[in-house]
Amino acid sequence: MSTNWSGAERKSRAPISLLNPEPSAEDNAAEPVKETATLTVAISEPAQAQQAAVEAQAAPLVSGRRSASVLQKDNMNDELPPATGWQAFLRTVTFGLIKPKVGAAELARRTDLSAIQRVYSRPMRIMVAQPLGGVGKTMCSVGIGSTFGIHSGQHAIVWDNNEMMGTLGVRTNANGSTRTVWDLLNVLEKFETIEARKGDFSYYTRHQGKNQFSVLASDEDPDRMKSIGADEFNRIHTVVSRFYDTIVLDTGNNTRSENWLASIDVTDQLVIPVRLQRNAVVSALRMIEQLESMSERQGNPHYKNLVANAVVVITQGGGAKVSATDQADLRAQLESTVRSIIDIPYDAALDNGSIIDWQLVGDPARRAFERVTAEIAAGLLEVDNRIAHARIHTTNR
């Protein structure tokens, strides 16, 4: 039998609803006034009906998070078996018959790694800044980039935003590449289109292999680097933000240069490398005072917030020895200003004056940088929550 039924046949064979039977002709004739009145009300109040529909769609059927909090945990760090320490050894030699809880040190490390693995609502920018040279800006940038790259599972890049000739390109693996930020700038227009691809962009970066982050090196010609001002920085930053989740900005020594000021404007987390020597601490405090003054002059709390939320990294290196009393005094000067201070133990692989390969760095220094990166992640989360709250507030106005 053909399935191309006529309209009358389809109607005659249609199932009859027991709950909502079709009205008879008499019923239709009996309610013309009611239909007209309903139509009039619907036409006269379209705005109210549309608003009610939008409100009904926006309002969730169930609100509150109490039920979710009963079942959900942030992670299972305390439930997983120990992997290090005597706890792991005892579990192994007893073939699992004795199951000690994970140790405090291992649990703390798991907590830090969970923080590093957070995902944010947009790309995040971390600026490593200190006007004094030789205190470990590039070393810290590589350490942060490596730690994010290895543990976060997201795309991380370290960008040498030096106003002159930076050293990031000579402290990281080039893998045969000689391309720099200047080469990228010359072809930047093709990456400012919707057809741009990360695979094409990667040609201008230097991937760091097992360290799982990329490097955007500064040019070896200082005159070329001088030509990268605020406008050029902002264009490059916009493109980089399309392809990377975490952007670490390794900066130069001139806190008045255009590209330095442009980078501080977009920064979400400030990291200040310092050695516990008077010249290094004084230099850091002068930069802090500059940022606080910028907030006061411009009426913009951004710079002051960066200082209050900053992470200071105490690095080790050469120079005259400073007494324990002086070191304590210098540390106190910084503690009263920033959010967190973390010491990095000396490691020869970080102080070799050559390429820093994170695979050669010892466990104490790697663990210290995990702490640094977890503190950075805590600051990024605070910034992200603040942005989300402001977005919701603006939407509801």
Side-chain angles (χ1 to χ4, degrees):
M1 183 174 64
S2 172
T3 57
N4 297 322
W5 300 342
S6 64
E9 186 177 0
R10 285 199 304 270
K11 185 174 181 181
S12 65
R13 291 173 180 248
I16 299 175
S17 172
L18 297 178
L19 297 178
N20 297 298
E22 291 187 5
S24 62
E26 292 80 2
D27 293 335
N28 290 335
E31 295 185 351
V33 177
K34 182 177 179 180
E35 289 185 1
T36 303
T38 303
L39 182 61
T40 304
V41 172
I43 295 175
S44 63
E45 299 180 353
Q48 294 88 333
Q50 183 178 6
Q51 181 178 359
V54 171
E55 291 177 353
Q57 185 177 5
L61 178 62
V62 178
S63 61
R65 305 294 300 167
R66 286 173 297 179
S67 58
S69 65
V70 173
L71 298 175
Q72 183 178 355
K73 293 179 65 175
D74 285 341
N75 53 62
M76 298 294 290
N77 289 334
D78 57 342
E79 301 292 337
L80 296 173
T84 61
W86 65 264
Q87 296 90 344
F89 175 77
L90 185 59
R91 183 185 177 94
T92 301
V93 298
T94 62
F95 299 98
L97 295 177
I98 300 177
K99 301 176 182 179
K101 289 287 188 179
V102 63
E106 185 177 358
L107 183 59
R109 181 171 186 265
R110 290 179 181 180
T111 301
D112 286 343
L113 296 184
S114 294
I116 294 169
Q117 292 163 359
R118 287 193 186 106
V119 177
Y120 306 97
S121 64
R122 61 171 176 78
M124 288 297 189
R125 290 69 55 109
I126 302 154
M127 182 171 173
V128 183
Q130 158 68 283
L132 184 66
V135 296
K137 288 193 294 290
T138 298
M139 180 267 289
C140 286
S141 298
V142 172
I144 295 167
S146 296
T147 308
F148 267 117
I150 292 170
H151 296 297
S152 73
Q154 301 180 59
H155 297 287
I157 188 170
V158 181
W159 171 5
D160 194 348
N161 187 41
N162 199 306
E163 70 279 355
M164 297 292 286
M165 185 175 63
T167 60
L168 181 64
V170 299
R171 300 298 308 274
T172 52
N173 290 298
N175 290 324
S177 174
T178 59
R179 287 166 292 279
T180 68
V181 67
W182 179 259
D183 299 306
L184 173 64
L185 186 61
N186 288 331
V187 296
L188 196 62
E189 288 185 359
K190 78 174 186 178
F191 295 109
E192 294 174 321
T193 65
I194 60 173
E195 293 86 6
R197 299 176 299 185
K198 185 177 184 297
D200 298 327
F201 182 87
S202 297
Y203 178 75
Y204 297 91
T205 66
R206 305 175 185 183
H207 191 63
Q208 298 302 296
K210 290 184 178 180
N211 300 325
Q212 299 182 39
F213 73 98
S214 297
V215 165
L216 182 57
S218 63
D219 199 84
E220 296 179 358
D221 186 340
D223 288 332
R224 289 179 176 178
M225 291 306 298
K226 284 181 182 178
S227 65
I228 298 181
D231 292 340
E232 291 78 13
F233 171 87
N234 288 326
R235 287 182 61 203
I236 296 170
H237 167 256
T238 299
V239 170
V240 170
S241 297
R242 296 178 63 180
F243 302 121
Y244 291 91
D245 307 295
T246 305
I247 304 168
V248 182
L249 296 163
D250 182 16
T251 59
N253 303 336
N254 185 0
T255 60
R256 300 293 199 277
S257 65
E258 284 191 27
N259 61 332
W260 195 97
L261 294 171
S263 63
I264 200 70
D265 283 342
V266 302
T267 293
D268 299 301
Q269 174 67 54
L270 178 63
V271 178
I272 308 173
V274 171
R275 285 184 180 154
L276 286 180
Q277 298 169 341
R278 291 195 178 277
N279 62 336
V281 173
V282 167
S283 176
L285 291 175
R286 284 177 177 172
M287 180 188 70
I288 287 171
E289 290 167 353
Q290 173 188 330
L291 293 173
E292 291 173 338
S293 297
M294 288 169 62
S295 277
E296 293 173 3
R297 290 199 311 268
Q298 300 179 22
N300 183 356
H302 171 69
Y303 313 108
K304 199 170 183 178
N305 290 340
L306 285 176
V307 170
N309 198 38
V311 175
V312 168
V313 180
I314 305 295
T315 61
Q316 314 298 323
K321 297 295 183 182
V322 180
S323 68
T325 302
D326 286 344
Q327 287 190 24
D329 179 61
L330 294 172
R331 187 184 293 269
Q333 294 287 336
L334 295 167
E335 286 176 343
S336 63
T337 306
V338 300
R339 173 169 60 90
S340 178
I341 297 179
I342 299 173
D343 291 79
I344 304 297
Y346 179 82
D347 193 297
L350 301 176
D351 193 33
N352 59 5
S354 183
I355 292 175
I356 300 174
D357 191 323
W358 212 244
Q359 306 302 311
L360 302 176
V361 177
D363 287 342
R366 290 166 71 106
R367 179 69 190 101
F369 267 102
E370 289 169 0
R371 276 267 64 237
V372 168
T373 310
E375 283 294 323
I376 291 172
L380 296 178
L381 179 63
E382 180 182 337
V383 170
D384 203 36
N385 288 339
R386 190 190 313 144
I387 293 172
H389 178 76
R391 188 184 298 120
I392 293 173
H393 180 72
T394 303
T395 304
N396 292 338
R397 277 180 11 180

